[in-house]
Amino acid sequence: MQVDLQEKHALKVTDMLPEMVEDVLQLTKEGIKQYNVERECAQYIKKEMDKKYGTTWHVIIGKEYGAYVSHESKGFVHFQLGDYNVILFKTPSSS
């Protein structure tokens, strides 16, 4: 995956706290830098968010896709970084 990591992001929609958004942006930049496959980058972001903020996070990353999701309050962000769109959202973990 290639993206200019100095490029500014375009925040589309979020209900997350600003510090969580910054964490997601940093994790996304790290994932893009480390992995060549979108699925691997998404897996990296998901695992890191699960560790830091508890389960259950889901990540969609790519150049083109459609999505419609349900999420917990304060658990959604959609942004663009370079050519990539990213959706990250949290759903309640099943008991």
Side-chain angles (χ1 to χ4, degrees):
M1 295 174 61
Q2 292 184 359
V3 68
D4 178 1
L5 297 179
Q6 301 304 315
E7 189 170 346
K8 295 207 180 246
H9 66 278
L11 190 61
K12 304 287 186 173
V13 179
T14 189
D15 68 351
M16 285 183 171
L17 298 172
E19 55 270 13
M20 285 181 75
V21 173
E22 287 302 316
D23 283 347
V24 172
L25 289 169
Q26 186 60 38
L27 287 171
T28 302
K29 289 177 182 179
E30 291 169 11
I32 287 172
K33 189 175 176 182
Q34 289 181 34
Y35 299 99
N36 291 322
V37 178
E38 292 166 353
R39 178 183 44 79
E40 293 171 349
C41 180
Q43 182 179 21
Y44 168 77
I45 297 165
K46 185 243 187 306
K47 286 183 177 182
E48 293 300 314
M49 289 297 290
D50 281 349
K51 279 192 253 180
K52 188 161 187 177
Y53 295 103
T55 60
T56 300
W57 290 93
H58 307 275
V59 180
I60 302 167
I61 184 170
K63 293 184 178 182
E64 291 187 32
Y65 59 83
Y68 185 81
V69 301
S70 297
H71 61 89
E72 284 188 2
S73 177
K74 308 268 187 243
F76 179 85
V77 65
H78 174 205
F79 62 94
Q80 184 174 2
L81 182 62
D83 292 337
Y84 292 94
N85 283 287
V86 179
I87 293 178
L88 179 117
F89 62 100
K90 185 172 186 176
T91 59
S93 54
S94 56
S95 314

